[in-house]
């Protein structure tokens, strides 16, 4: 009988939790978003479309759908937090619509608006859309594959890579007549820890695009290990404990974002880890509540955005009473 009551209480708590969220979320079910552009069967020359709509009060995100007019096939179904979205599209005729969403409700979709993408050989009105890696990408690997989307009117692509160390910037690579939509940077280019700006443009016989650029960071320096601050070794503590530590100094050329991994175990070899926490953004404190008493051990490891890991800190023990 007790198990039935437990299940009943659990279901009640879930219902109350969802109901509370519904209370705090604005009901947008009857709202309709007003689109700004494109609309009224607008003809767009180029390969980039920017969808814009008016913000909706109570909406946290927006779902944008684009379909081909000839087949009704959905070619884009994207969820964004802003009231605009820029994407690359092939020539053709399309319809698009947008709706607002929050945790509990969705608005109605806007009335579909038609538009068309007109093919042109003039690359000056087009853009190269870079695919990977993402902008401000940190890595410890000195071999990286760059990729970008194909342009229908492009005969070839040009690449340029600029390396910045401190205040000094130099051209590490410049190459034309690339026929594919990817290029591998190896250790001949990524030859030291630095910031690398890579840029791609499309070219044909009569025109070319502007360069599209992103930045990546090569960081091979291992972070220094952290220093444990509190609680002290062999401390006796209550069941709620505030753990803290300090980060080691990062002496590398590139300062990648740092993360901390706190591990708590029942044995000094950490074969039985009872809890681990990953803290982003340089946070160096974490509260933990123990469900049992006894002796526990804790340590911290630092990793950076490039994938480098420090050695573990020293290990401390505590007794929870």
């Amino acid at each position: 009988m007790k198990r039935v009551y437990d299940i009943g209480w659990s279901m009640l708590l879930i219902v109350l939790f969802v109901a509370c969220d519904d209370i705090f979320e604005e009901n947008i079910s009857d709202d309709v978003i007003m689109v700004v552009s494109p609309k009224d069967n607008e003809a767009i020359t180029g390969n980039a479309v920017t969808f814009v709509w008016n913000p909706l009060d109570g909406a946290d995100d927006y779902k944008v759908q684009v379909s081909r007019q000839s087949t009704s096939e959905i070619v884009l179904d994207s969820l964004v937090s802003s009231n605009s979205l820029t994407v690359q599209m092939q020539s053709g005729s399309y319809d698009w619509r947008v709706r607002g969403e929050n945790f509990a409700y969705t608005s109605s979709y806007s009335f579909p608006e038609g538009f068309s993408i007109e093919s042109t050989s003039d690359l000056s009105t087009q853009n190269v859309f870079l695919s990977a890696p993402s902008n401000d990408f940190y890595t410890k690997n000195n071999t990286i594959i760059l990729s970008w989307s194909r342009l229908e009117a492009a005969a070839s692509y040009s690449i340029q890579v600029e390396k910045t160390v401190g205040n000094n910037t130099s051209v590490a690579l410049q190459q034309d007549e690339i026929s594919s939509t990817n290029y591998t940077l190896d250790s001949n280019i990524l030859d030291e820890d630095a910031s690398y700006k890579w840029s791609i443009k499309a070219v044909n016989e009569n025109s070319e695009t502007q360069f599209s650029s992103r930045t990546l960071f090569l960081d091979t320096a291992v972070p220094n290990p952290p220093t444990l601050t509190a609680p002290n070794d062999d401390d006796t503590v209550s069941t709620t404990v505030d753990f803290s530590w300090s980060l080691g100094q990062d002496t590398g050329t590139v300062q990648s974002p740092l993360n901390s991994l706190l591990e708590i175990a029942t044995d000094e070899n950490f074969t039985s880890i009872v809890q681990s926490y990953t803290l982003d953004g340089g946070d160096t404190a974490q509260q933990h509540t123990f469900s049992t008493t006894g002796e526990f051990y804790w340590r911290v490891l630092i990793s950076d955005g490039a994938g480098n890991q420090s050695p573990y800190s020293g290990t401390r023990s505590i007794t929870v009473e």
Side-chain angles (χ1 to χ4, degrees), residues 10-288:
S10 299
M11 293 300 295
L12 178 61
L13 289 173
I14 292 172
V15 170
L16 289 174
F17 176 76
V18 174
C20 286
D21 278 338
D22 287 353
I23 291 172
F24 290 111
E25 291 285 4
E26 184 175 344
N27 188 344
I28 59 174
S29 302
D30 296 328
D31 295 334
V32 179
I33 292 177
M34 298 296 294
V35 302
V36 176
S37 65
K39 59 189 304 185
D40 300 328
N41 293 311
E42 178 181 350
I44 299 170
T45 301
N47 69 321
V49 183
T50 299
F51 301 100
V52 183
W53 56 93
N54 290 330
L56 177 64
D57 289 340
D60 299 323
D61 300 296
Y62 301 92
K63 173 159 283 196
V64 181
Q65 285 189 342
V66 180
S67 60
R68 294 188 186 276
Q69 290 183 354
S70 59
T71 63
S72 298
E73 173 195 3
I74 294 177
V75 296
L76 177 69
D77 188 3
S78 184
L79 190 68
V80 297
S81 57
S82 64
N83 66 311
S84 66
L85 174 65
T86 299
V87 296
Q88 180 181 12
M89 298 193 67
Q90 302 295 327
S91 58
S93 298
Y94 302 91
D95 290 316
W96 80 283
R97 61 182 188 172
V98 59
R99 76 181 184 193
E101 299 186 2
N102 59 33
F103 179 83
Y105 303 99
T106 61
S107 75
S108 300
Y109 272 109
S110 61
F111 186 80
E113 292 285 352
F115 67 97
S116 61
I117 306 292
E118 297 183 350
S119 177
T120 175
S121 60
D122 183 5
L123 291 174
S124 66
T125 63
Q126 303 185 51
N127 300 291
V128 176
F129 280 71
L130 306 180
S131 301
S134 58
N135 193 34
D136 293 337
F137 178 73
Y138 290 85
T139 181
K140 63 179 181 180
N141 300 314
N142 58 9
T143 299
I144 296 291
I145 299 176
L146 311 177
S147 63
W148 55 93
S149 296
R150 182 180 67 87
L151 266 69
E152 293 179 75
S156 64
Y157 301 90
S158 298
I159 183 171
Q160 178 175 291
V161 178
E162 295 177 315
K163 177 174 68 173
T164 300
V165 181
N167 295 322
N168 299 317
T169 299
S170 59
V171 176
L173 172 67
Q174 191 156 4
Q175 185 171 329
D176 300 322
E177 301 295 330
I178 299 171
S179 58
S180 66
T181 55
N182 59 75
Y183 190 91
T184 300
L185 300 181
D186 58 22
S187 58
N188 292 317
I189 305 301
L190 306 178
D191 58 354
E192 61 178 319
D193 286 10
S195 167
Y196 294 87
K197 178 183 176 182
W198 60 284
S199 305
I200 305 292
K201 71 177 179 180
V203 180
N204 64 23
E205 184 178 0
N206 300 310
S207 59
E208 61 184 39
T209 68
Q210 297 292 318
F211 273 110
S212 297
S213 302
R214 286 182 179 176
T215 300
L216 65 87
F217 300 90
L218 179 63
D219 181 6
T220 60
V222 175
N224 289 319
T227 301
L228 304 185
T229 306
N232 292 318
D233 196 24
D234 295 327
D235 267 2
T236 298
V237 296
S238 63
T239 54
T240 298
V241 181
D242 291 312
F243 295 96
S244 62
W245 56 93
S246 61
L247 300 175
Q249 183 179 3
D250 188 349
T251 58
T253 303
V254 175
Q255 307 290 310
S256 297
L258 297 178
N259 303 318
S260 297
L261 174 65
L262 166 64
E263 294 180 339
I264 305 169
T266 56
D267 66 298
E268 59 185 340
N269 294 320
F270 287 82
T271 57
S272 298
I273 297 175
V274 296
Q275 184 67 56
S276 62
Y277 294 97
T278 300
L279 290 82
D280 299 328
D283 290 341
T284 57
Q286 176 65 49
Q287 187 177 87
H288 176 74

Side-chain angles (χ1 to χ4, degrees), residues 226 228 245 260-263 298-302 310-314:
L228 304 185
W245 56 93
S260 297
L261 174 65
L262 166 64
E263 294 180 339
W298 69 287
R299 63 183 182 181
V300 177
L301 173 146
I302 304 299
S310 76
Y312 275 102
S313 66

